[in-house]
Amino acid sequence: MTGAPPNAGRITRTPGRGISHPDKLLSAHLDAVRQAPEGKRRTTLYGAARGVARMVAAGALDHTTAVAALTAVGEQADQTAREIRAAVAGGFRDEGIAA
């Protein structure tokens, strides 16, 4: 499943600090999680969380929308609530952003 993430209206549509197409970048991160093979989904979600955290840091995406989008895609990838929270929190923490 592709398309706009939840609350897509909170994505900055203008370039911000090196991110020329935040909507496309967010979709690419989410698609990577959707397409990850079983056994690699949590690691892929963590990587996506790091990328999305960088978008938050750049002001291209607000924090609430970022976490909601990652949570939704984690659920689509059959991750438990605990796995999702751990992957998102870890990715944000490792990029210096509070989850």
Side-chain angles (χ1 to χ4, degrees):
M1 174 196 248
T2 59
N7 302 314
R10 294 187 184 157
I11 300 171
T12 301
R13 299 277 184 224
T14 57
R17 290 200 245 170
I19 301 175
S20 59
H21 296 282
D23 52 339
K24 291 178 183 178
L25 181 57
L26 178 60
S27 290
H29 285 305
L30 300 179
D31 285 344
V33 177
R34 288 183 191 104
Q35 297 169 8
E38 193 170 336
K40 300 282 186 183
R41 292 177 183 158
R42 181 166 180 244
T43 302
T44 305
L45 180 58
Y46 164 79
R50 288 194 71 167
V52 171
R54 289 189 293 271
M55 294 178 69
V56 171
L61 182 64
D62 74 67
H63 188 277
T64 302
T65 300
V67 172
L70 290 164
T71 299
V73 80
E75 290 169 352
Q76 291 171 11
D78 295 326
Q79 299 299 287
T80 67
R82 182 177 184 211
E83 291 168 330
I84 294 167
R85 279 191 308 272
V88 172
F92 275 54
R93 177 195 64 235
D94 292 346
E95 291 299 327
I97 306 290

